[in-house]
Amino acid sequence: MEDTEFGSREIPHMRAVLGRFDERDAVLALQAHHVAIDGWSMQLIMRDLVTAYSARAGRGAAPADVAQYREYSAWQKADLGEESLAAAREYWRAKLHGARMLGVPVGRRRPEDATPVFAVHRFVFDAELTSALLTAARNGRSSPFMVLLAAYNLLLRDTTGDADIVIPTITFGRGHPRFDDTVGPFFNFVPLRTDLTGCETVRDVLARTRATCIEAQTHEIPFAHILAEAPELMETFGDDGVAVCAFQAFQNGPNGGRMGSVEYTELRRRVLFQSTGSDIPDGALWTMEIDPSGEIFGCVRYDRNEFDQSGPAGLVERFERLLRRVVTTPDSAV
C-alpha cells in the first residue's frame, strides 16, 4: 500500500497493510476501490474481521455464509423483467425530458491541465435541529431525506435562480433483505427533478419534493438505463464555471461491536477540515448522516481547483438557516 491511489483496472480492489507497534498492539489499514464495495460493505468487512478474529481465538463462531454479489446481479436482472423495465424507462423518459443536471457557480475556473485535489468541509447540526427535522418528517409523512432535500432544493433555487431543480443522489441500492450482509458496490445514481415553479409556501416545496422522491424510488432502475432515456442529462459536467453537487443523506444504525472483552466503534463525529480527501466524481458531493446520538454529521467534498473553503462553508450556513425555516415554519412564504 505504498501508493495511496489505484485505478479500477488494478487488481486487487481491496488492499491491506498491518502496522505493528509491538507484540500486542497493531493497526490494520484497509484500502478499497469504490467499484468493488460501498460504505455499508466496509461496515460488514469490519464486523466480519472481528468475528473471524474472535473465532480464531476460540471465542465464538466463524462468520456465517452470505449471498454473494453475483447472486445479487442475477436477482436484479430477474426482478426487473422486461415489462417493469420498459415502464420504468418510459417514466424516466418523460420525467427527464429536456433536463440537465443543475450546477452551482464555482469560485474559480479549473485550469484544463489541473489535477483534481478534493478537500472536505465538515459540519455538525445540533440535537435541537435534528429533533425538529425528525418531527417535521413524521408530521409530513415523509422521510428525513425528503425534508433535507426540500431545504436543499430551496438553497439551489436561491443560489442559481433556477426553479427547475435536477440533482443526483446516491441510493442504498440493495433492494432485498437477502443482500443486507453482502459485500459489493450496491449504490445507484438517481436523478431527482423537482420543479418549484408556483410554490407559494415552504409546505408546497415539501409536497413537491416528497412526490419527486416517491416517484423516483418507485421507478428506480440502474442509472445506465436512466441515462439512455435522457442523453443530455449529464452535459452540465462539461460546462465551465459550474459544478454539479450530488446530495445524499441517511440514518446511521448501531455503531461498532464487541470482540471478547474489547469494544470497537466507528469514528463518526468528525468536525475538522480536511485539505486532501478521497477522490469523487467530477463536481462535489454533499453528505449528511443522522446519527443515533441525536446530531447530524455532514460534509461537502469539493475540488480545491474550483472552490476555496469559504464557498462550501457559506453554502452550509445558508442551508442550515433554510432547514430551520423548513422544519419550524412550513407555512411561511417562499
Side-chain angles (χ1 to χ4, degrees), residues 63-144:
D65 292 336
V66 300
Q68 298 300 298
Y69 189 78
R70 61 179 176 273
E71 298 175 54
Y72 166 77
S73 179
W75 170 84
Q76 185 185 57
K77 291 178 182 178
D79 183 65
L80 282 175
E82 292 184 7
E83 290 187 9
S84 60
L85 179 59
R89 291 183 65 144
E90 174 60 30
Y91 163 79
W92 289 110
R93 186 183 310 126
K95 182 70 175 179
L96 298 176
H97 177 71
R100 296 172 84 244
M101 291 292 187
L102 184 62
V104 298
V106 299
R108 49 181 173 261
R109 294 176 183 267
R110 183 175 68 186
E112 292 185 4
D113 58 348
T115 300
V117 181
F118 293 104
V120 187
H121 171 74
R122 293 192 169 93
F123 58 93
V124 178
F125 291 163
D126 60 35
E128 179 184 1
L129 179 55
T130 306
S131 177
L133 163 69
L134 297 176
T135 299
R138 288 193 298 269
N139 292 342
R141 300 177 63 193
S142 303
S143 68

Side-chain angles (χ1 to χ4, degrees), residues 27 39 46 52 87 93 101 112 119 139 145 154-155 161 181 198 232 280 287 307 329:
V27 171
M46 289 168 57
R93 186 183 310 126
M101 291 292 187
E112 292 185 4
N139 292 342
F145 174 81
L154 284 171
L155 175 68
D181 289 329
E232 298 177 354
I280 59 172
T287 301
F307 297 95
T329 57

Side-chain angles (χ1 to χ4, degrees), residues 46-47 50 254-266:
M46 289 168 57
R47 181 202 64 187
V50 169
N255 186 9
R258 177 181 293 274
M259 181 179 66
S261 61
V262 178
E263 294 184 3
Y264 70 94
T265 58
E266 178 186 358

Side-chain angles (χ1 to χ4, degrees), residues 37-300:
I37 68 169
D38 53 19
W40 183 273
S41 295
M42 285 302 293
Q43 296 182 31
L44 297 176
I45 291 169
M46 289 168 57
R47 181 202 64 187
D48 289 349
L49 279 172
V50 169
T51 302
Y53 192 86
S54 296
R56 183 176 181 181
R59 294 193 294 263
D65 292 336
V66 300
Q68 298 300 298
Y69 189 78
R70 61 179 176 273
E71 298 175 54
Y72 166 77
S73 179
W75 170 84
Q76 185 185 57
K77 291 178 182 178
D79 183 65
L80 282 175
E82 292 184 7
E83 290 187 9
S84 60
L85 179 59
R89 291 183 65 144
E90 174 60 30
Y91 163 79
W92 289 110
R93 186 183 310 126
K95 182 70 175 179
L96 298 176
H97 177 71
R100 296 172 84 244
M101 291 292 187
L102 184 62
V104 298
V106 299
R108 49 181 173 261
R109 294 176 183 267
R110 183 175 68 186
E112 292 185 4
D113 58 348
T115 300
V117 181
F118 293 104
V120 187
H121 171 74
R122 293 192 169 93
F123 58 93
V124 178
F125 291 163
D126 60 35
E128 179 184 1
L129 179 55
T130 306
S131 177
L133 163 69
L134 297 176
T135 299
R138 288 193 298 269
N139 292 342
R141 300 177 63 193
S142 303
S143 68
F145 174 81
M146 296 174 185
V147 180
L148 291 167
L149 181 62
Y152 189 66
N153 282 337
L154 284 171
L155 175 68
L156 292 187
R157 190 207 63 163
D158 293 349
T159 300
T160 66
D162 198 333
D164 187 6
I165 312 296
V166 187
I167 63 152
T169 191
I170 302 169
T171 64
F172 185 57
R174 291 183 180 253
H176 194 285
R178 175 186 173 195
F179 304 105
D180 284 353
D181 289 329
T182 302
V183 171
F186 286 85
F187 59 89
N188 193 25
F189 197 66
V190 177
L192 300 175
R193 185 179 195 178
T194 309
D195 190 350
L196 304 186
T197 303
C199 288
E200 297 182 356
T201 67
V202 170
R203 195 179 299 277
D204 294 336
V205 174
L206 282 165
R208 295 269 182 98
T209 303
R210 180 179 184 272
T212 292
C213 292
I214 291 175
E215 288 180 5
Q217 184 177 23
T218 303
H219 297 92
E220 183 176 352
I221 52 177
F223 181 65
H225 291 292
I226 298 175
L227 189 58
E229 302 300 332
E232 298 177 354
L233 183 67
M234 305 294 282
E235 290 181 355
T236 314
F237 283 94
D239 291 350
D240 289 333
V242 298
V244 175
C245 188
F247 183 84
Q248 62 178 353
F250 50 91
Q251 290 183 270
N252 284 325
N255 186 9
R258 177 181 293 274
M259 181 179 66
S261 61
V262 178
E263 294 184 3
Y264 70 94
T265 58
E266 178 186 358
L267 181 61
R268 290 176 175 170
R269 197 181 196 281
R270 291 173 289 179
V271 299
L272 299 180
F273 168 75
Q274 187 175 340
S275 60
T276 304
S278 57
D279 282 5
I280 59 172
D282 287 346
L285 175 62
W286 187 306
T287 301
M288 305 184 73
E289 305 176 32
I290 304 172
D291 196 71
S293 67
E295 295 178 307
I296 293 176
F297 309 143
C299 69
V300 181

